[in-house]
Amino acid sequence: MATGRTHRPATRSRGIPEATVARLPLYLRALTALSERSVPTVSSEELAAAAGVNSAKLRKDFSYLGSYGTRGVGYDVEYLVYQISRELGLTQDWPVVIVGIGNLGAALANYGGFASRGFRVAALIDADPNMAGTPVAGMPVQHTDELEKIIADNGVSIGVISTPAGAAQQVCDRLVAAGVTSILNFAPTVLSVPDGVDVRKVDLSIELQILAFHEQRKAGEEAGAEAVVADAVAEAAAADVTAAGSAAEAAPTAARAENTDRKGPDGDVPAVMPA
Amino acid sequence: MATGRTHRPATRSRGIPEATVARLPLYLRALTALSERSVPTVSSEELAAAAGVNSAKLRKDFSYLGSYGTRGVGYDVEYLVYQISRELGLTQDWPVVIVGIGNLGAALANYGGFASRGFRVAALIDADPNMAGTPVAGMPVQHTDELEKIIADNGVSIGVISTPAGAAQQVCDRLVAAGVTSILNFAPTVLSVPDGVDVRKVDLSIELQILAFHEQRKAGEEAGAEAVVADAVAEAAAADVTAAGSAAEAAPTAARAENTDRKGPDGDVPAVMPA
DNA sequence: CCATCTTTGTGCACGCGTTCACAAAGACAT
DNA sequence: ATGTCTTTGTGAACGCGTGCACAAAGATGG
């Protein structure tokens, strides 16, 4: 059992900060695009713009990899592509299994971004016997019973879980027992894994919820609470930060602009509301 | 404002740290599960374990929302569910459009996690005329031409982009022009948006690349790096992952269509091109 | 009503990540 | 060669996030 401990001791990596590692794929993509356009060199400023980050951050990130730039010129695109690929371990071929071939699993199987980056889908696995043999993305789906054998035969160390939440932990346990040490989890569940196994989580609904939070904040700043008329967004250059009266939202009485704006900096206290 | 400008003002949200907001959905999920099991109260320790975080962190997170706990007892599950839902803006209904109904778009349309959390798929939009009318997830796909009208009619403020990379920026521009102010982007591209618009990115291949990095590090550590010393590894079984030439080892039957050399299926060419 | 026990809420310290600003390094022109 | 100009690489400051440790608050039992 042993729940809990799902976190990573992580950052013990050889010098390279976790935040930097997370950005390397971003740089790599931008560099690949430049490479395809036969651009020979690129400055930190240009590359940073293409990757959507700060140039100083980019330079510092690269400094962890070594001094691959030339002052006064910039970075050699091809060379940098190679260095980052090597650092990320993409110069080798990573066999990957996808477990749970529903809509999402099928989407992942068809996703081109994998094959083009050193990943190879070694097998598609599903628990539904009726799916066995069905071709998805030009590859027959195999039954869960074969899981251990598939992993052993292909030397798979990375697994993708796109099953329903209820099956995720069980699948995870089997993957780990079979030798998988890195898992990308799409199921909305917290997975428990032993030390030494990395888990990364992608949760679609969480991302949306975070957006909703900001959206609500934006709407609240500008007008009342309720989703009044879907008014065309006028230039809300108001630029003020009226502390949202979120507490008052319980009583949605149209949009009261007047509504006091006392309380400047401090957070708004819920005040009432019986405990 | 031209292009560029991808940075976000970030934590300008008066009060609740961004990191905390990102965890609220996690707590909410755990609490919902408890609620369904009719658990009346929960301690920070228990809830933290269920959510996979540190209990101190959880308490601090909740402290930003207010003092909703009872010392010596814990938190009232139902009450906390309500408070977090309200804070995240999930007590209202958020109409969402999904643009790009390929494999991934279809998966998103079918994803139950949306409807159960205050999100409602208002429309599915695709540029392919042949898809128009085709039912996906019990809803007819509509053509891109209808985009502006759909957004206006439904008061949509959140858009999901699951198109190929090449079309993403264009779709994004249209969404924003039509009034969308929050975007969840699945296309492997950096989107440029004006201030006031939030963009969150979910990139499948980036996550895998990060895993590959750690995987490589693990393998390298164990094998003793480049040390020439002929170490007699007893448990060499797990080390075979490092074998670089393992590509030919499996050689699955299915011919992998065309080579991935030139242009990746995801086509990450366009990207940015300022000036 | 008091003592004890449980659990929250938070002050504080620490470390990571970000950003600024600038000296060093090299290209390039003269 | 020398000066100028561009761009890298990084020292240092700052801010955010995390986790510890503990006092305050309230429940519970006598």
Side-chain angles (χ1 to χ4, degrees):
Chain A
M1 41 161 68
T3 52
R5 279 309 156 269
T6 312
H7 237 22
R8 77 297 144 109
T11 328
R12 286 292 164 275
S13 77
R14 179 56 71 200
I16 303 181
E18 189 63 26
T20 294
V21 172
R23 280 188 295 268
L24 290 182
L26 216 55
Y27 302 143
L28 183 57
R29 174 178 299 151
L31 285 166
T32 302
L34 292 173
S35 173
E36 286 172 358
R37 282 166 40 201
S38 300
V39 177
T41 62
V42 64
S43 70
S44 65
E45 204 68 51
E46 295 170 312
L47 185 54
V53 302
N54 182 294
S55 69
K57 192 187 294 183
L58 178 142
R59 287 198 300 276
K60 176 142 290 191
D61 282 342
F62 286 175
S63 77
Y64 292 118
L65 307 183
S67 294
Y68 296 145
T70 303
R71 299 179 189 225
V73 177
Y75 299 90
D76 181 279
V77 172
E78 295 300 334
Y79 186 56
L80 202 47
V81 163
Y82 170 72
Q83 289 299 342
I84 294 179
S85 293
R86 189 177 55 76
E87 197 66 51
L88 285 173
L90 303 181
T91 52
Q92 59 184 286
D93 191 67
W94 294 102
V96 172
V97 295
I98 301 176
V99 186
I101 314 300
N103 283 290
L104 181 57
L108 295 171
N110 280 294
Y111 183 53
F114 292 166
S116 63
R117 297 262 188 281
F119 298 99
R120 177 173 52 84
V121 177
L124 307 180
I125 303 175
D126 198 283
D128 183 358
N130 294 335
M131 288 212 60
T134 305
V136 171
M139 180 178 293
V141 174
Q142 296 179 263
H143 191 265
T144 314
D145 291 344
E146 311 289 331
L147 191 147
E148 284 77 10
K149 177 169 167 46
I150 292 169
I151 290 176
D153 289 354
N154 294 277
V156 174
S157 55
I158 301 178
V160 177
I161 297 178
S162 49
T163 65
Q169 182 63 59
Q170 188 180 351
V171 166
C172 174
D173 292 343
R174 286 183 65 180
L175 286 174
V176 171
V180 166
T181 48
S182 287
I183 292 176
L184 182 54
N185 179 34
F186 286 89
T189 310
V190 177
L191 293 179
S192 297
V193 295
D195 284 355
V197 176
D198 280 307
V199 175
R200 290 194 70 85
K201 184 164 61 77
V202 175
D203 194 309
L204 313 178
S205 86
I206 282 185
E207 298 299 325
L208 266 193
Q209 288 174 56
I210 296 172
L211 280 180
F213 171 82
H214 293 295
E215 195 61 36
Q216 182 186 43
R217 187 169 56 78
K218 279 185 282 191
E221 259 173 20
E222 159 178 343
E226 279 294 6
V228 197
V229 187
D231 54 341
V233 179
E235 269 293 330
D240 60 343
V241 266
T242 60
S246 55
E249 187 175 330
T253 50
R256 292 292 300 272
E258 182 263 313
N259 207 15
T260 117
D261 47 20
R262 67 193 186 82
K263 302 293 293 213
D266 249 47
D268 54 318
V269 182
V272 283
M273 216 64 229
Chain B
M1 64 184 68
T3 53
R5 262 340 185 291
T6 316
H7 79 284
R8 41 93 180 303
T11 323
R12 190 183 52 186
S13 165
R14 198 62 73 183
I16 303 182
E18 191 61 25
T20 294
V21 172
R23 280 189 293 270
L24 290 182
L26 216 55
Y27 302 144
L28 183 56
R29 175 176 298 152
L31 285 166
T32 302
L34 290 173
S35 174
E36 286 171 358
R37 283 166 38 201
S38 301
V39 177
T41 61
V42 64
S43 70
S44 64
E45 203 69 51
E46 295 169 312
L47 184 55
V53 302
N54 182 296
S55 69
K57 192 186 296 182
L58 179 143
R59 287 197 300 276
K60 179 146 293 191
D61 282 342
F62 285 174
S63 76
Y64 292 117
L65 306 184
S67 293
Y68 295 146
T70 304
R71 299 179 190 226
V73 176
Y75 300 90
D76 182 280
V77 173
E78 295 300 332
Y79 185 57
L80 202 48
V81 164
Y82 170 72
Q83 289 298 342
I84 294 180
S85 293
R86 188 178 56 78
E87 197 67 52
L88 285 173
L90 303 180
T91 51
Q92 58 183 286
D93 192 65
W94 294 102
V96 173
V97 295
I98 300 176
V99 186
I101 313 301
N103 283 291
L104 181 56
L108 294 171
N110 280 294
Y111 183 52
F114 292 166
S116 63
R117 296 263 188 279
F119 299 99
R120 178 173 50 85
V121 178
L124 306 179
I125 302 175
D126 198 282
D128 183 357
N130 294 334
M131 287 212 63
T134 305
V136 171
M139 180 177 295
V141 174
Q142 295 178 265
H143 191 262
T144 314
D145 291 344
E146 311 288 333
L147 190 147
E148 284 77 11
K149 177 168 165 47
I150 292 169
I151 290 175
D153 289 353
N154 293 276
V156 174
S157 55
I158 300 178
V160 177
I161 298 178
S162 48
T163 67
Q169 182 63 59
Q170 188 180 350
V171 167
C172 175
D173 291 343
R174 287 183 65 179
L175 286 174
V176 171
V180 166
T181 48
S182 286
I183 291 176
L184 182 54
N185 179 34
F186 285 90
T189 308
V190 177
L191 293 179
S192 296
V193 295
D195 285 355
V197 176
D198 281 308
V199 175
R200 290 194 69 86
K201 185 164 63 75
V202 174
D203 194 309
L204 313 178
S205 86
I206 282 186
E207 298 299 324
L208 266 192
Q209 289 173 56
I210 296 172
L211 280 180
F213 171 83
H214 292 296
E215 196 61 36
Q216 183 185 44
R217 188 170 55 77
K218 279 187 281 193
E221 258 173 18
E222 185 174 323
E226 290 81 345
V228 189
V229 184
D231 49 352
V233 181
E235 313 170 301
D240 62 347
V241 183
T242 60
S246 64
E249 195 172 319
T253 59
R256 181 137 303 86
E258 58 278 288
N259 199 326
T260 58
D261 262 336
R262 204 169 137 316
K263 139 194 169 176
D266 55 338
D268 40 17
V269 185
V272 286
M273 181 53 195

